[in-house]
Amino acid sequence: MDKVCADQGQEFLAFMEFYRTLPLYQFTHFTANQEIIEAFEEEEAINKGHIHIVDFDVAYGFQWPSLIQSLSDMATTSRTISLTLTGYFGNEEELMITKDRLESFANGCPNLSFKFEAGILRGSSPISIHVEANSTLVVNFPFHLQTLRSSQEIKNTLGTVYSMNPSLVVLVEKEGNQRRSFLPKFMELLYFYTATFDSLNEFLPLESIKRLNIEKNHLAKEIKLEIAQGHIKEAFEHEKSWKETMKLFGFEGKKMSSRSLSQAKLLLKIKSPCTMIGDGANCGFEVFEKDEGHEIALTWRDRELISVSCWRCTSQ
């Protein structure tokens, strides 16, 4: 038990160091949160200050403190805001720790009511979720769809989400993350992680203890898990892109906000080691719009890594 706790502690610290060092996850979180805030603002006349987010992979909850703070800043004593977060994760113990962490943070944010609901473990269809009438409902898919192992799981998940009629669905995906046979999938992972390790060279020296911790306790375990998932799913080939799949299940793409793009560019300027030495170069990371403004992608030296897109239900 002590060894398990120690391993989980090392994984958390490695993830935190990775999160702080490279802009990959911060890019997805800040971009998604900007879109969520704007969806909430669009419905202020009817939502009565209520927003409900269903996160299909809440993990350590790093995405949500900035959103909680932003909502608190928007709220007043006469107009409070209520945020309910239903979070799913594959480890029940970690899910409870994340719950405690977010509740503790939210307790220090004035004029904001925060409630965390622990969802059933990832891999199953969500149970019935109670959403307060007229609340702004947002569904967050951070790298989740590629973890589904069959066409039936995709049908169950997207069908359930569509039936909830959310105001916004956020889709985060790694480049090329469609279901295909193992070898092409393996090559995509190779390109992705080669670019990730290459980008680390710009931020941390090879002998850095922090870098060794990131490589051993985060990246190595993530690669091992993805390869294992690739073997399990080899018999299940999903030829359509996730965008085609979303449309098939009744969702339509939403144009990304210009503020989301500007914020992403600002993040890269802040995170860039080149900015710190004042030469003005972008040092490899860039963001750009694609699909006629319906998607924002992060690249490393022209290699696309991660993209964020937003979706809404077509008329029901």
Side-chain angles (χ1 to χ4, degrees):
M1 178 63 70
D2 290 343
K3 184 180 185 304
V4 172
C5 291
D7 288 345
Q8 290 177 345
Q10 289 177 339
E11 288 180 27
F12 174 76
L13 290 175
F15 180 86
M16 184 167 62
E17 289 173 345
F18 181 79
Y19 187 91
R20 290 174 173 173
T21 301
L22 296 183
L24 276 74
Y25 291 127
Q26 291 183 40
F27 158 73
T28 65
H29 291 171
F30 292 153
T31 302
N33 286 353
Q34 180 62 42
E35 296 291 335
I36 292 170
I37 288 172
E38 293 186 27
F40 173 76
E41 290 176 329
E42 287 177 11
E43 298 184 351
E44 281 186 297
I46 60 172
N47 62 29
K48 299 179 182 178
H50 293 274
I51 178 170
H52 192 136
I53 299 171
V54 180
D55 188 349
F56 274 78
D57 191 356
V58 71
Y60 300 118
F62 280 22
Q63 176 171 352
W64 304 118
S66 64
L67 181 72
I68 291 171
Q69 185 64 61
S70 295
L71 291 174
S72 176
D73 292 342
M74 294 166 58
T76 64
T77 53
S78 61
R79 183 186 171 280
T80 60
I81 292 177
S82 173
L83 168 62
T84 300
L85 175 61
T86 301
Y88 294 79
F89 194 42
N91 183 307
E92 190 170 3
E93 182 181 354
E94 286 290 349
L95 186 59
M96 292 302 103
I97 294 173
T98 295
K99 177 179 184 291
D100 292 341
R101 185 184 300 121
L102 292 176
E103 288 178 341
S104 177
F105 180 86
N107 284 338
C109 296
N111 305 318
L112 178 77
S113 171
F114 176 74
K115 180 181 179 182
F116 186 99
E117 298 177 344
I120 60 174
L121 299 184
R122 185 170 61 177
S124 301
S125 296
I127 58 175
S128 177
I129 298 171
H130 172 73
V131 180
E132 189 161 339
N134 299 320
S135 289
T136 295
L137 175 62
V138 176
V139 173
N140 194 45
F141 280 136
F143 311 112
H144 175 73
L145 293 182
Q146 62 262 30
T147 69
L148 304 179
R149 293 196 255 180
S150 70
S151 56
Q152 189 62 47
E153 284 193 9
I154 292 175
K155 181 179 179 180
N156 290 344
T157 301
L158 293 181
T160 298
V161 170
Y162 184 80
S163 69
M164 296 163 64
N165 194 26
S167 303
L168 186 73
V169 177
V170 180
L171 177 62
V172 180
E173 55 184 336
K174 292 178 181 176
E175 170 59 17
N177 233 319
Q178 288 91 8
R179 291 292 191 282
R180 289 190 287 178
S181 58
F182 178 73
L183 184 58
K185 176 65 175 175
F186 177 82
M187 295 306 298
E188 289 171 356
L189 290 175
L190 178 63
Y191 292 139
F192 178 86
Y193 285 106
T194 297
T196 301
F197 279 96
D198 184 41
S199 67
L200 274 175
N201 294 331
E202 299 287 345
F203 292 83
L204 294 171
L206 286 172
E207 65 276 9
S208 165
I209 298 298
K210 182 184 293 187
R211 175 166 178 163
L212 291 175
N213 187 34
I214 289 172
E215 292 177 349
K216 176 183 178 182
N217 293 309
H218 176 62
L219 291 176
K221 292 182 179 182
E222 192 175 72
I223 292 169
K224 182 178 180 181
L225 178 62
E226 293 223 45
I227 290 176
Q229 288 175 338
H231 278 297
I232 291 172
K233 300 166 195 166
E234 187 169 3
F236 170 46
E237 297 190 12
H238 182 69
E239 296 180 355
K240 292 183 174 63
S241 70
W242 291 119
K243 295 173 191 61
E244 292 173 320
T245 302
M246 293 292 286
K247 292 176 182 177
L248 183 65
F249 281 89
F251 298 94
E252 59 183 358
K254 168 195 169 296
K255 277 208 169 187
M256 302 293 285
S257 164
S258 60
R259 283 185 285 181
S260 295
L261 182 62
S262 297
Q263 184 173 256
K265 290 180 178 179
L266 177 60
L267 170 67
L268 294 193
K269 287 183 179 180
I270 294 172
K271 295 293 295 181
S272 172
C274 299
T275 300
M276 288 187 278
I277 62 176
D279 66 5
N282 60 44
C283 284
F285 281 114
E286 292 185 90
V287 293
F288 69 96
E289 287 183 311
K290 56 184 293 191
D291 192 20
E292 298 181 336
H294 287 81
E295 188 174 355
I296 299 177
L298 175 71
T299 66
W300 170 258
R301 302 199 191 285
D302 298 325
R303 174 74 190 181
E304 190 172 328
L305 298 178
I306 295 174
S307 65
V308 181
S309 60
C310 290
W311 301 80
R312 286 176 170 157
C313 297
T314 54
S315 300
Q316 297 203 46

